Amino acid sequence: MPSLREYARKRRFDRTAEPRGAVAREGPAPERLFVVQKHRATALHYDFRLESAGVLRSWAVPKGPSLDPSVKRLAMQVEDHPMDYARFEGIIPAGEYGGGTVMVWDIGTWSPGEEGDPEGAFRAGAIRFTLAGRKLKGSWRLIRTRGRQWLLIKSRDGAASTDDVTLAKPRSVLTRRLMAGIARDAGGDLKTAATADP
Ligand code: MN
């Protein structure tokens, strides 16, 4: 079952600008939202989120997504996030959970593979899906290996490539800013944020 209890427990909403949010009513729309947020917290990672059951199911991908089908990227499952989180870009204050700079690195829609039942696939630990983002496209899979540990893998298709998309396309899809620009505009730690820019 989707739940935002862990999400809310980790955050102080009087200190962070992150949305409190709520579990959304699951719409009939076949188009589901996906978002990838570049996040320079203690360490840089990319938060990969797929809408399902009224929340954003979430994984932290330390190295970010790879378009190369031979590359398996570690994706640590983290707490469900509210739908409102998808457009959160800015800073989380130092000392708060996830303190640092957040960029909306990619956004778009996703559709489940032939199984057609995302929550069933999620529970089974094997999700095949297609992304229609600005940077990430085509077929992908998330495979659970143990516990909260999954692998994010690009499937072979026309969108596969050996180019490093995180280096080639480093800017926010919402504002075109780099990490340093986001930190500067929000009064955050510019120097640390800049280490996450190419
Ligand atoms: Mn994160």
Side-chain angles (χ1 to χ4, degrees):
M1 283 295 286
S3 168
L4 296 176
R5 272 169 51 194
E6 184 180 350
Y7 173 83
R9 181 162 45 74
K10 287 176 167 170
R11 291 170 175 80
R12 297 190 282 188
F13 294 105
D14 56 338
R15 314 244 176 134
T16 179
E18 295 165 286
R20 180 182 292 272
V23 176
R25 171 107 59 76
E26 200 173 9
E31 301 239 299
R32 297 171 171 85
L33 189 70
F34 92 92
V35 63
V36 182
Q37 281 157 315
K38 185 173 180 178
H39 184 188
R40 177 56 166 87
T42 312
L44 173 65
H45 59 276
Y46 291 74
D47 288 304
F48 188 88
R49 312 191 196 280
L50 299 176
E51 174 186 359
S52 183
V55 296
L56 294 168
R57 299 295 198 186
S58 297
W59 292 261
V61 183
K63 293 186 176 173
S66 170
L67 305 184
D68 183 342
S70 69
V71 174
K72 298 174 172 65
R73 285 285 155 87
L74 174 66
M76 294 301 293
Q77 191 188 339
V78 297
E79 73 273 19
D80 297 340
H81 279 50
M83 293 299 302
D84 291 347
Y85 206 92
R87 289 176 177 275
F88 176 74
E89 179 170 283
I91 61 160
I92 299 168
E96 298 304 308
Y97 180 73
T101 303
V102 179
M103 167 196 287
V104 178
W105 182 80
D106 198 16
I107 197 163
T109 57
W110 75 279
S111 46
E114 278 160 30
E115 313 88 73
D117 168 21
E119 283 300 299
F122 185 79
R123 278 191 299 275
I127 313 172
R128 289 175 180 278
F129 52 96
T130 302
L131 298 179
R134 316 256 195 96
K135 298 175 183 175
L136 303 184
K137 299 174 194 296
S139 53
W140 295 74
R141 55 198 193 275
L142 270 164
I143 307 293
R144 185 166 57 218
T145 51
R146 66 205 298 249
R148 288 192 155 210
Q149 200 172 299
W150 297 61
L151 295 172
L152 175 66
I153 310 163
K154 179 78 191 76
S155 300
R156 289 182 196 282
D157 62 14
S161 165
T162 52
D163 295 344
D164 187 338
V165 67
T166 62
L167 287 179
K169 298 181 176 174
R171 290 179 183 272
S172 164
V173 292
L174 296 187
T175 63
R176 308 303 302 161
R177 291 179 296 179
L178 293 171
M179 295 293 275
I182 293 167
R184 186 186 54 235
D185 292 350
D189 180 349
L190 177 86
K191 240 192 214 164
T192 305
T195 64
D197 289 323

